[in-house]
Amino acid sequence: MRSTSPRDDGPLGDVATALIDARGVVVSWSDAASRLLARAAGEVRGRSVLRLVADPAGLPRGLPEAGGLPLDGTVRLSGGTGDVDVEYRVLPTASPDRFVALAVPADRAADVRHGTTLLRALLAQDAIGVVLRDTDLAVVLTNRTPGLFGEVPYRTGTRLADVMHAEDAAKAEASLREVLETGDPVVNRKQRVRSLATPSAEWDFSVSAVRLEDEGGRPDGVVVLLTDATEQFQAAHRLELRHRMSSTVGRSLDIVKTAQDIADVLVPAFGDLAWVDLAEDVLNGDEPSKTFGGGDLHLRRAAVSPGDVPWAPELLQPGASIPALPDRPLVRLLQQGRAITVDRATLERGLADPDFVRAAAPEKGHSLAVAPLFARGLVLGVAGVWRTERPGPFDQRDIDLLSEVASHAALAVDNARRYTREHRAAVALQEHLLPQAVTRTTVLETAGHYLPASGGAEIGGDWYDAIALPSLRTALVVGDVAGHGLHASATMGRLRTAVHTLADLELPPDELLTHLDDLVVRLAAEAEPGQRDAVGATCLVVLHDPVAGQCTVAAAGHPPPVLVLPDGTADAVPLLPGPPLGVGGMPFETTTVDVPPGSLLALFTDGLIERCGGEVSDVVARLSPPHDPTRPLHILGSALVASDRPHAARDDTALLLARTAPLPADAVAQWEFPTDPAAVAGARAAVTEQLSAWGLDDMGFTTELIVSELVTNAIRYTKGPVGLRLIRDTSLICEVSDPSNTQPRLRRARITDEGGRGLFLVAQIAARWGSRHGLEGKTIWAEQPLPS
């Protein structure tokens, strides 16, 4: 059985027709019939139509006047090239002996029948809107009622702009014209529709559209299927708003940033303009005061979100205080934790202050929804949303949704408030534990900087210190305690106290770190078992000796310092760092470098390395350009920590800068004497002469007595040369060195004792005295204030 295909002769181009007489003889034969059976008209005309039937015996009896042919049915005809199944119908004509037989291929008839049935079923129901539009997008056929878009009729010939808002119509027409031009269908596209008759009425439709084509494949229109998905889309919209609130709000522990996230989530998802007001106590990290009724509620505008337009200058700006509110029921409802909605007229009557209304309500705002940020029975603030462009007012479902998202927002704000309080306490503790930022002596100027980690991390245990030591020496210390928070700050305080105590013993840097390492080991042993591995620190100690023009450096797992020489050359001090504090049992090595006057030393923690790029060489590069020796160190330090990548620093930053200055050329005088008792007189004479040269004759007697006692003790108890040095600064320092490692001891001599009074006399005369050990021997020093 051969197949047939329709010709491009219009919708009836493949209908075969034949004119038959009362005997069933073919009188006339159409071209379509010739094509259908592949039989020419001359071959068929004059013959009974029943002779074309492949199985005449199987036909039921029909009209006698039409040769016994049934009026309609399905039959198989014998064609010139094979059999063809057709559906036919026999129709009488005006002539009683003439009949018209119409036939189409059976498969073609089934398609037409099913299509007609489908269209009839679609047009008969109202769950799915069916709209047939022509190429001009005018309605040809539809099952929609005239009240589909409010009171605007929706009938044949209606265009989209006749029934909906111009903006919505333009968007829908653009989509349908694309379907007409490309043939690509639209499936389940969301379309918002606002009625012309009722501007406040809105619908959300799910739209699918398919292009219609004629027999030649040319666009003949578009069929649009509509389903009212307002409830579904609104439910999805509410779910999306909840998701955005939960995923966006609360990521930051900064209160103002959290308030801004709340406002940004509400616009444009919930309204056209939003603001968040927070209690002033909350912004400071404290709990808000409990108030009820009107008056000054001590609120401050924390964040605003105007959408795509700038925030109007006449409205309350971020940071502005909220004026006193009148005692109204709506205010009390907010204080009870309930969300409210008001229109503009109600708001104007409630505030009764035109200036307040202008500052509180945008020009086109017509509906306001306000929800309290209510947590633990306290009102932390309020969030408000205005509708200006959207015509519909807020309804109860909107209020319920706003209440829900405000509850989550309140928890985020309360968490940020708690963090602010803890952070403020930790910062206060840190500030009290750290030394003064700037120190200055005649030979060294220092400036310290501390920055907490970025990204909301807690305060840490980084610290710096500049400890003045005898003989114009200074200990520069930078350390980094593991962890963050109050525990790290407290540990830092204990370590800093230990460093001061050990520095007062005038220990060299490596021995100081050894004692500090023992302390951290003990701290770890005292900690809870699960926290012992978290107790640790790194430390860098630099001992500056201006008389020698050198620095002695030792490190415990800490980055090396950077030395910038007066000519601008900068490099990290080469050293062999020991293990971090708390490992125990490992040695620390020292490195000595020359530091001429006018040099700059930079000691820092890992946070500065992160801010500068991630390597110590990046810090060196930042310090490489020749620095201005007249530029204040605190300004230089601020520029150094102001990194181009501030958010990259996930650790605290401590920075200590030290700039060396020269001693006057005649500020130091030193001698060496043999271990001969007669050398004591020579030492007194040398001191007297030097004091006279300095114009300090008035200090001659006391200084001679100190030198006499110290040199005598050195000659008596040691074997080797005795060194004597005077240093003139803001005080007069006398130093006596000998090769003995015996620690001097102050004691009170009895009446019968012949000796033991030397150090006692020195202690009474000098403002302070002490001793320190070197690689070979010791040095005893005594300090006297210069006369005013």
Side-chain angles (χ1 to χ4, degrees), residues 449-453 462 478 480 558-562 601-620 622-623 636-646 648-657:
H449 294 264
Y450 174 79
L451 277 79
D462 292 16
V478 164
D480 184 357
H558 202 88
V562 173
L601 271 168
L603 292 73
F604 45 84
T605 57
D606 290 338
L608 181 66
I609 298 177
E610 294 180 17
R611 289 176 181 271
C612 291
E615 300 291 339
V616 175
S617 58
D618 297 317
V619 181
V620 174
R622 293 286 294 271
L623 289 168
L636 179 62
S638 297
L640 187 60
V641 299
S643 169
D644 297 333
R645 300 168 39 182
R650 306 301 300 179
D651 199 1
D652 295 31
T653 298
L655 170 67
L656 180 62
L657 295 177

Side-chain angles (χ1 to χ4, degrees), residues 455-725:
E458 295 177 333
I459 207 79
D462 292 16
W463 90 92
Y464 60 85
D465 225 326
I467 307 171
L469 299 176
S471 304
L472 300 183
R473 299 177 309 142
T474 305
L476 306 174
V477 184
V478 164
D480 184 357
V481 175
H484 294 87
L486 293 176
H487 174 75
S489 295
T491 302
M492 179 269 285
R494 298 178 70 175
L495 293 182
R496 181 169 178 258
T497 301
V499 168
H500 272 263
T501 302
L502 296 172
D504 286 342
L505 297 176
E506 300 189 68
L507 298 176
D510 54 340
E511 292 187 28
L512 188 151
L513 290 178
T514 300
H515 288 285
L516 205 60
D517 182 54
D518 294 338
L519 172 61
V520 175
V521 171
R522 290 197 300 271
L523 292 178
E526 295 171 0
E528 296 292 334
Q531 298 179 354
R532 290 175 181 173
D533 293 339
V535 178
T538 64
C539 188
L540 174 68
V541 180
V542 177
L543 181 61
H544 174 243
D545 187 345
V547 178
Q550 294 179 332
C551 281
T552 304
V553 186
H558 202 88
V562 173
L563 174 62
V564 184
L565 297 176
D567 62 358
T569 304
D571 201 358
V573 175
L575 54 83
L576 181 62
L581 299 177
V583 174
M586 301 295 290
F588 299 97
E589 303 290 339
T590 60
T591 299
T592 302
V593 293
D594 293 331
V595 182
S599 300
L600 179 70
L601 271 168
L603 292 73
F604 45 84
T605 57
D606 290 338
L608 181 66
I609 298 177
E610 294 180 17
R611 289 176 181 271
C612 291
E615 300 291 339
V616 175
S617 58
D618 297 317
V619 181
V620 174
R622 293 286 294 271
L623 289 168
S624 290
H627 65 280
D628 182 2
T630 63
R631 189 181 187 189
L633 283 184
H634 68 278
I635 296 179
L636 179 62
S638 297
L640 187 60
V641 299
S643 169
D644 297 333
R645 300 168 39 182
H647 296 292
R650 306 301 300 179
D651 199 1
D652 295 31
T653 298
L655 170 67
L656 180 62
L657 295 177
R659 179 184 287 147
T660 60
L663 274 171
D666 62 344
V668 179
Q670 55 187 359
W671 306 269
E672 186 174 284
F673 301 100
T675 54
D676 183 355
V680 177
R684 288 198 300 266
V687 168
T688 301
E689 181 180 355
Q690 185 62 51
L691 291 179
S692 179
W694 284 340
L696 300 176
D697 299 289
D698 293 342
M699 301 183 67
F701 176 76
T702 56
T703 306
E704 286 182 27
L705 181 58
I706 292 174
V707 169
S708 178
E709 293 296 337
L710 295 182
V711 171
T712 298
N713 285 342
I715 292 174
R716 179 180 299 174
Y717 298 111
T718 63
K719 295 180 180 181
V722 176
L724 172 62
R725 183 166 69 176

Side-chain angles (χ1 to χ4, degrees), residues 244-405:
R244 286 192 59 200
M245 181 65 70
S246 61
S247 62
T248 301
V249 177
R251 295 181 301 179
S252 173
L253 291 174
D254 181 84
I255 294 182
V256 176
K257 178 64 170 60
T258 301
Q260 188 62 56
D261 288 341
I262 296 171
D264 291 341
V265 167
L266 294 175
V267 176
F270 194 77
D272 303 308
L273 178 148
W275 45 261
V276 176
D277 297 339
L278 295 178
E280 294 178 354
D281 290 337
V282 171
L283 290 170
N284 294 327
D286 299 323
E287 289 194 347
S289 57
K290 295 182 179 181
T291 58
F292 197 72
D296 187 357
L297 303 183
H298 302 287
L299 296 174
R300 192 174 295 275
R301 184 134 298 177
V304 298
S305 181
D308 297 331
V309 299
W311 186 259
E314 64 272 11
L315 296 176
L316 287 170
Q317 300 298 309
S321 296
I322 307 303
L325 295 173
D327 190 359
R328 295 286 188 269
L330 291 178
V331 174
R332 292 175 176 262
L333 287 176
L334 288 173
Q335 293 169 335
Q336 293 171 359
R338 297 171 58 183
I340 62 171
T341 179
V342 294
D343 55 26
R344 189 184 187 93
T346 303
L347 182 69
E348 291 176 349
R349 289 194 303 270
L351 294 179
D353 183 349
D355 293 336
F356 196 174
V357 172
R358 280 192 296 271
E363 181 179 358
K364 296 191 295 183
H366 61 84
S367 183
L368 170 66
V370 185
L373 303 178
F374 199 70
R376 298 179 295 104
L378 299 172
V379 178
L380 308 178
V382 291
V385 189
W386 277 99
R387 282 187 176 172
T388 57
E389 302 298 331
R390 306 182 194 188
F394 292 107
D395 56 23
Q396 187 57 46
R397 289 187 302 179
D398 295 326
I399 294 302
D400 294 340
L401 177 60
L402 183 60
S403 299
E404 182 178 341
V405 297

